[in-house]
Amino acid sequence: MNIVILAAGQGKRMQSALPKVLHPIAGKPMALHVLDTARKLSPKNLVMVVGTGADAVRAACAADDLRFAEQAQQLGTGHAVMQAMSLLASAENNSATLVLYADVPLIAAASTGDVAVLTVEMDDPTGYGRIVREGAAANDGRNGARDGNGAGAIVRIVEQKDASPEEKRIREINTGIVVFPTAFLAENLPKLSNQNAQGEYYLTDLIALAVQAGIPVVSAQPADAAETMGVNSKTQLADVERAYQLRQARALTESGVTLADPARIDVRGSLRCGRDVRIDINAVFEGKVELCDGVSIGPNCVLSNCRVAAGAQIKAYSHIDGASVGKGNLVGPYARLRPGADLGEDVHIGNFVEVKASSIDDQSKANHLAYIGDAEVGKRVNIGAGTITCNYDGVNKHRTVIGDDAFIGSDSQLVAPVTVGRGATLGAGTTLTKDAPADKLTVSRAKQLTIDAWRRPEKKPK
Ligand code: UD1
Ligand code: CA
């Protein structure tokens, strides 16, 4: 089979500088969603028609198995398919061509027929092409293609802007998913006219041509109407996004994940969950995220490209990006784990603690207000409130090494490169510029003194 994806349209109704088909659903351009689906059908030829913002669309979609056809002027969907014909490998006589629209992103892999149209009934069909069928009484069965639901055979598709008031009342619409015999396309595309309300060559006019040629036109209905939602405006983009997210939320709950509210989770990538995972409201997952058995995610957390090992608890308002959270860790509330943060088992990272490119070994704790960057922290280390690794000298980054069982007093600055020995203690407020020896107390603060003779100034009475 050949697959042609139409992605050249202007998308005026989006009111955006970004080409319509690059607007994201779940963080991924619509066109890429459609490409994923197309690939599931292992097409012999996969072609995308580009035009508006062609360079950007090509750059976003480029792949070895995909060829592009350029539609210099957007003269309609029929004209768009015509631009792809030369790439459909000699239009072998009995091959079929499936047409997909890049602005119908949730479509699932559909099967083929002679001329087959995927249709759906919509409560509000405004904007879509309507499926005109022979009236039940008038149907003489010429096409022999009555649908299972007993409706008359398809006669033609009429676009919203060309439809009579009566036709506008038809609720069965064209999803835009159509399969044609390739040879039929080659023969009939040149016959299309643009004498219609939009002055475009409508692909959908091929249906009437097929009927006239006595080629059976069959239709199929998708199981889930959300699959066929088209995106022409930001409103529809938002509707499709919600439909997509709800579908992902359903898949998660079906697989045993507990969601506080399936309407308040956003997965923009892939989320893998073990058993007994709980996710509170407003969690956002980006890229590849893995939550192992028994993990709980508090409200308002953002997790990107990370792994959270079994039993870890991520508390409210935490932000985790490119980090690895260990077994049984307690993270947050308000924690920030940045790329390269690698936490061992039973590590505690508390509120307003930021960790970057650092390993923190088992049972170590940084519970309040700290920055740990480019550091190697051993086991059972206690990092006091306000501790900062001064890893940057304005030009280069330097490492801090803290041995097992060290105790870093509150409000210390570790000026890297520097090493704190095993079991060492730093007194509160230490500015460490030289290595601290193992098992000793190191303090750098000025000695405390009390001035006996000092008196507080007093206001003179007037
Ligand atoms: C189209 C169908 C309509 C259907 C609806 C489903 C036609 C004439 N109408 O209407 O029957 O109900 O989709 O969502 O086909 N495109 C090009 N080149 C062009 C014009 C469009 O590549 O010259 C591409 C667009 O990028 C888009 C797709 O074709 O991906 C559909 O075009 P659009 O203008 O959005 O058609 P609709 O009015 O939505
Ligand atoms: Ca559309």
Side-chain angles (χ1 to χ4, degrees):
M1 183 172 52
N2 301 310
I3 298 183
V4 177
I5 300 174
L6 304 190
Q10 284 184 313
K12 273 182 233 132
R13 291 164 278 181
M14 295 295 279
Q15 319 220 29
S16 168
L18 187 68
K20 172 163 81 171
V21 301
L22 294 186
H23 280 268
I25 293 294
K28 185 161 90 175
M30 282 192 261
L32 291 184
H33 284 273
V34 177
L35 267 175
D36 285 351
T37 302
R39 290 195 171 102
K40 289 192 186 134
L41 298 170
S42 315
K44 196 159 165 211
N45 295 292
L46 180 57
V47 177
M48 182 178 278
V49 182
V50 295
T52 309
D55 290 344
V57 178
R58 274 173 197 267
C61 300
D64 290 345
D65 61 344
L66 175 66
R67 282 177 302 160
F68 294 96
E70 188 102 14
Q71 187 192 24
Q73 270 183 296
Q74 282 64 63
L75 301 180
T77 48
H79 181 258
V81 174
M82 220 179 300
Q83 313 312 306
M85 291 308 288
S86 63
L87 295 178
L88 300 185
S90 67
E92 294 157 33
N93 280 340
N94 47 9
S95 76
T97 296
L98 168 67
V99 178
L100 298 176
Y101 290 175
D103 70 349
V104 183
L106 302 190
I107 191 65
S111 57
T112 68
D114 280 324
V115 169
V117 190
L118 196 67
T119 74
V120 71
E121 296 240 348
M122 288 207 171
D123 290 338
D124 179 9
T126 311
Y128 290 94
R130 310 295 207 283
I131 305 294
V132 181
R133 290 177 179 272
E134 289 182 354
N139 181 19
D140 57 7
R142 228 181 331 133
N143 284 301
R146 292 173 139 270
D147 285 304
N149 61 10
I154 294 175
V155 181
R156 62 195 173 92
I157 295 175
V158 62
E159 294 304 310
Q160 167 86 22
K161 290 189 174 140
D162 301 289
S164 66
E166 199 171 279
E167 286 165 338
K168 284 201 179 98
R169 282 199 292 273
I170 299 173
R171 293 192 305 115
E172 185 185 18
I173 62 98
N174 168 34
T175 61
I177 314 305
V178 223
V179 183
F180 296 103
T182 310
F184 170 84
L185 277 181
E187 193 185 324
N188 289 279
L189 279 172
K191 296 185 193 163
L192 290 179
S193 121
N194 63 354
Q195 299 302 301
N196 52 50
Q198 301 183 82
E200 290 184 359
Y201 297 94
Y202 294 159
L203 183 67
T204 42
D205 283 350
L206 286 180
I207 301 301
L209 289 178
V211 171
Q212 278 161 33
I215 296 173
V217 177
V218 299
S219 69
Q221 282 74 33
D224 175 4
E227 279 183 25
T228 62
M229 291 164 78
V231 175
N232 297 316
S233 64
K234 294 282 175 68
T235 307
Q236 287 175 322
L237 183 72
D239 289 345
V240 168
E241 178 75 34
R242 284 303 101 205
Y244 181 88
Q245 294 300 346
L246 202 55
R247 186 194 281 189
Q248 303 214 99
R250 288 262 175 277
L252 286 171
T253 51
E254 285 302 313
S255 71
V257 175
T258 302
L259 297 182
D261 182 356
R264 283 182 289 172
I265 173 172
D266 280 61
V267 181
R268 302 171 191 154
S270 76
L271 174 60
R272 254 181 65 192
C273 291
R275 294 182 63 176
D276 297 314
V277 167
R278 305 175 67 88
I279 301 174
D280 213 321
I281 59 164
N282 294 337
V284 176
F285 299 93
E286 298 168 331
K288 238 178 106 181
V289 175
E290 185 183 355
L291 307 179
C292 301
D293 294 353
V295 163
S296 85
I297 306 292
N300 301 299
C301 290
V302 179
L303 282 79
S304 314
N305 298 305
C306 60
R307 179 173 190 274
V308 181
Q313 292 179 41
I314 311 296
K315 299 184 181 171
Y317 294 99
S318 292
H319 192 282
I320 301 179
D321 177 14
S324 172
V325 175
K327 260 194 192 163
N329 286 190
L330 295 182
V331 175
Y334 296 101
R336 178 164 186 216
L337 302 180
R338 292 170 52 201
D342 186 4
L343 312 185
E345 292 186 15
D346 297 317
V347 168
H348 295 187
I349 300 293
N351 44 273
F352 306 106
V353 173
E354 173 179 347
V355 183
K356 184 215 79 168
S358 296
S359 62
I360 301 183
D361 213 335
D362 303 349
Q363 291 171 276
S364 288
K365 297 183 172 113
N367 273 327
H368 335 265
L369 304 160
Y371 173 60
I372 304 168
D374 302 301
E376 191 186 316
V377 178
K379 297 187 202 307
R380 297 172 302 277
V381 171
N382 193 307
I383 295 181
T387 298
I388 292 169
T389 54
C390 308
N391 60 328
Y392 187 48
D393 60 14
V395 181
N396 299 302
K397 299 273 170 71
H398 301 284
R399 294 193 66 75
T400 299
V401 177
I402 302 176
D404 294 347
D405 300 297
F407 182 99
I408 312 296
S410 294
D411 202 24
S412 292
Q413 303 105 53
L414 311 177
V415 183
V418 75
T419 296
V420 177
R422 285 168 164 263
T425 300
L426 299 194
T430 292
T431 299
L432 194 72
T433 51
K434 288 176 287 190
D435 293 355
D439 300 316
K440 299 261 163 55
L441 170 66
T442 298
V443 211
S444 75
R445 69 178 100 107
K447 277 231 160 58
Q448 181 170 327
L449 71 157
T450 303
I451 300 168
D452 284 330
W454 184 82
R455 292 288 172 271
R456 212 183 263 177
E458 277 172 27
K459 271 191 185 154
K460 286 187 189 114
K462 283 185 184 160

